[in-house]
């Protein structure tokens, strides 16, 4: 579609907003600033102005749009059903077409990141290099030298968890009991190197419950990072690669352990799964909806466990109750929802790196709530939220373990000796 036609279509979509303001109390950036330009309806007005030519595309205008986390809390409460996620992503793509070329170093850096996360061999090479950095003393040296005390390098270093050695996945994992079906497991990119424990836990639970798990070699990044950075063409190319990988198998569902990836996959796959050959299901929602063998038991856990609801699970997939139902299977667990759970923690994909001031203010609210609540474990279904919150807890000197709900379930299953 030519640019003019895309702009016209996007403007027509923005007209669905009646500027009622019901979104304002739910917007994290408006909550922090009380600035109308930092609200959903304010951003829609800015988008309408610049696309119609009534406003100039200035750095200040772009900053207001860049401050949007894409959490879509506004979309979930909008009485007019305004597709705000579609609007903000479309606006970023439109403005990127009209903006002057980015500095060469930034274009090279973005090209390198895109290449790494979309090619598993390059991703694993990068993971090995980072693991060497962590284990060889280079990380300690970088910190002592002050190289990672501030700026982008400092933020990246703070987010980086201890990395395991990357390893290739088998093409499939057989069911451990009487077969009940076949599913695909989406590996993602960051989760495959930074949260392998959750993927292992998901595979273990699925096979224990009688599912053959397929791990297509051709699968790649979900494309969320590209889509939200105004690069829909690359996101669509990645979608095509995932489509080819998963459609090669007759699957009941494609399982995601990262709600952000799952939300992106689900939106381009569609409700009936036609886009990928099978419906995309969050791991917790899938496991909650199936029958469990009677012989599965979980060891008691006498701890207070807080649950953070990622925006993608709450506002996009709308499946945030599934983890609580699953975790209730663990005897004696004390589950608490993190206060203001419907408000974003500030991670929002790459937002925690590109907009650190706003991201850290939102995270500070979560850290304060955790400190007041006395939880010993924090659970979240999104790797970005986990990295962001874990870094905040570490900076605050708080010893709270951060993990995925499925990882905790599997740990208690192992403790009970039923695997």
């Amino acid at each position: 579609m030519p640019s003019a036609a895309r702009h016209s279509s996007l403007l027509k979509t923005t007209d669905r907003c009646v500027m009622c303001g019901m979104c304002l109390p739910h917007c994290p950036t408006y909550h922090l600033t009380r600035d109308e330009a930092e609200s959903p309806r304010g951003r829609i007005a800015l988008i309408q102005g610049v696309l119609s030519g009534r406003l100039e595309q200035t750095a200040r205008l772009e900053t207001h749009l860049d401050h949007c986390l894409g959490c879509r809390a506004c979309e979930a409460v909008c009485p007019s059903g305004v597709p705000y996620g579609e609007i903000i992503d479309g606006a970023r793509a439109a403005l990127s077409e009209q903006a002057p070329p980015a500095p060469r170093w930034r274009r090279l850096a973005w090209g390198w990141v895109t290449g790494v996360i979309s090619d598993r061999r390059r991703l694993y090479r990068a993971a090995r290099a980072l693991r060497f950095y962590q284990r060889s003393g280079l990380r300690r040296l970088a910190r002592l030298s002050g190289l990672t005390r501030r700026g982008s390098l400092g933020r990246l270093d703070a987010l980086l968890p201890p990395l395991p050695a990357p390893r290739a996945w088998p093409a499939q994992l057989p069911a451990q009991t009487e077969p009940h079906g076949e599913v695909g497991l989406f590996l993602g990119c960051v989760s495959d190197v930074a949260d392998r424990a959750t993927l292992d836990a998901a595979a273990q639970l699925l096979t224990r419950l009688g599912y053959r798990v397929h791990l297509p070699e051709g699968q790649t990044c979900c494309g969320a990072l590209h889509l939200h950075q105004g690069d829909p063409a690359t996101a669509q190319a990645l979608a095509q690669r995932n489509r080819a990988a998963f459609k090669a198998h007759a699957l009941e569902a494609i399982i995601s352990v990262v709600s952000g990836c799952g939300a992106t996959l689900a939106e381009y796959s569609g409700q009936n799964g036609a886009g990928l050959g099978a419906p995309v299901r969050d791991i917790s929602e899938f496991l909650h909806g199936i029958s469990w063998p009677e012989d599965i038991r979980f060891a008691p856990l006498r701890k207070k466990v807080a649950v953070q609801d990622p925006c993608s699970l709450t506002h996009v997939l709308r499946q945030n109750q599934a983890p609580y139902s699953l975790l209730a299977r663990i005897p004696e667990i004390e589950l608490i929802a993190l206060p203001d759970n419907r408000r974003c923690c500030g991670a929002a994909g790459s937002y925690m790196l590109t907009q650190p001031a706003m991201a850290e203010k939102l995270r500070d609210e979560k850290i304060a709530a955790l400190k007041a609540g006395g939880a010993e474990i924090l659970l979240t279904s999104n790797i970005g939220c986990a990295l962001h919150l874990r870094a905040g807890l570490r900076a605050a000197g708080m010893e709270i373990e951060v993990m995925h709900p499925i990882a905790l379930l599997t740990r208690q299953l192992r403790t009970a000796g039923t695997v």
Side-chain angles (χ1 to χ4, degrees):
M1 183 186 294
S3 295
R6 287 201 304 270
H7 290 186
S8 176
S9 176
L10 185 57
L11 275 170
K12 186 176 181 180
T13 304
T14 64
D15 285 339
R16 292 176 60 178
C17 177
V18 297
M19 302 294 173
C20 66
M22 290 188 68
C23 56
L24 267 62
H26 304 275
C27 176
T29 51
Y30 182 79
H31 160 72
L32 290 177
T33 66
R34 291 298 189 263
D35 182 345
E36 184 68 44
E38 294 287 329
S39 74
R41 72 175 179 184
R43 291 188 177 104
I44 286 176
L46 293 175
I47 291 166
Q48 289 173 329
V50 74
L51 291 183
S52 65
R54 291 182 285 110
L55 288 178
E56 185 181 351
Q57 183 176 335
T58 63
R60 183 179 177 186
L61 183 145
E62 290 177 0
T63 296
H64 287 307
L65 299 186
D66 289 343
H67 279 173
C68 176
L69 296 118
C71 69
R72 294 167 66 173
C74 56
E75 190 174 309
V77 299
C78 179
S80 301
V82 175
Y84 181 80
E86 176 186 329
I87 291 170
I88 192 67
D89 287 340
R92 284 170 173 161
L95 295 185
S96 69
E97 292 175 356
Q98 300 172 185
R104 189 167 185 271
W105 69 266
R106 186 174 294 174
R107 284 182 278 125
L108 288 172
W110 176 244
W112 182 83
V113 169
T114 299
V116 167
I117 64 178
S118 61
D119 184 318
R120 204 159 299 279
R121 287 172 296 181
R122 292 178 67 181
L123 180 69
Y124 286 174
R125 284 199 296 268
R128 291 187 188 99
L130 287 170
R131 190 166 185 263
F132 176 78
Y133 162 75
Q134 289 180 325
R135 295 166 64 91
S136 66
L138 286 175
R139 186 183 207 177
R140 182 172 179 273
L141 184 61
R143 289 179 172 179
L144 287 173
S145 69
L147 187 63
T148 58
R149 285 181 188 167
R150 58 180 64 86
S152 298
L153 285 177
R155 290 191 291 275
L156 281 168
D157 184 66
L159 289 169
L160 194 64
L163 297 179
R167 66 181 191 276
W169 290 91
Q172 61 178 255
L173 297 167
Q176 296 180 38
T177 60
E178 180 183 349
H180 289 294
E182 305 204 11
V183 297
L185 182 59
F186 183 72
L187 301 174
C189 47
V190 175
S191 55
D192 194 14
V193 297
D195 195 20
R196 191 69 178 249
T198 295
L199 289 167
D200 286 337
Q204 181 178 344
L205 266 180
L206 288 165
T207 56
R208 177 68 180 82
L209 292 170
Y211 287 88
R212 179 185 294 173
V213 178
H214 293 265
L215 305 113
E217 183 180 0
Q219 63 173 296
T220 185
C221 170
C222 69
L225 180 64
H226 310 80
L227 185 64
H228 303 323
Q229 291 291 324
D231 185 9
T234 301
Q236 289 166 10
L238 295 172
Q240 292 286 1
R241 287 172 57 185
N242 283 317
R243 186 175 294 117
F246 284 103
K247 270 197 168 183
H249 306 277
L251 303 175
E252 177 180 333
I254 297 167
I255 308 298
S256 172
V257 301
V258 179
S259 62
C261 298
T264 300
L265 292 169
E267 292 203 319
Y268 69 62
S269 179
Q271 287 188 345
N272 62 0
L276 286 176
V280 177
R281 308 280 294 277
D282 180 77
I283 180 71
S284 295
E285 186 265 343
F286 179 79
L287 293 178
H288 172 60
I290 64 174
S291 299
W292 285 53
E294 294 184 1
D295 63 335
I296 288 188
R297 296 289 184 271
F298 295 96
L301 182 64
R302 300 176 185 88
K303 290 186 177 182
K304 181 181 282 191
V305 178
V307 182
Q308 184 259 354
D309 298 343
C311 299
S312 44
L313 192 65
T314 303
H315 306 309
V316 185
L317 294 172
R318 306 194 182 189
Q319 298 169 3
N320 55 305
Q321 290 306 308
Y324 296 90
S325 300
L326 276 183
L327 293 163
R329 293 176 174 272
I330 300 175
E332 300 184 44
I333 190 171
E334 184 181 352
L335 276 180
I336 59 170
L338 204 59
D340 291 324
N341 238 344
R342 297 184 71 83
R343 184 172 296 142
C344 185
C345 70
S350 62
Y351 190 94
M352 55 189 165
L353 295 171
T354 60
Q355 304 293 333
M358 198 76 79
E360 288 171 14
K361 286 179 182 177
L362 290 167
R363 184 178 66 186
D364 287 345
E365 295 181 348
K366 305 295 182 183
I367 301 301
L370 284 165
K371 190 172 185 177
E376 298 169 80
I377 298 174
L378 173 63
L379 303 179
T380 179
S381 300
N382 194 61
I383 179 61
C385 302
L387 295 174
H388 185 52
L389 291 167
R390 188 182 290 123
L393 289 167
R394 190 163 50 245
M398 296 171 64
E399 297 291 334
I400 296 179
E401 187 176 15
V402 182
M403 61 197 308
H404 195 287
I406 298 305
L408 181 62
L409 274 173
T410 307
R411 186 164 75 183
Q412 294 308 108
L413 183 67
R414 289 193 185 118
T415 305
T418 58
V419 292

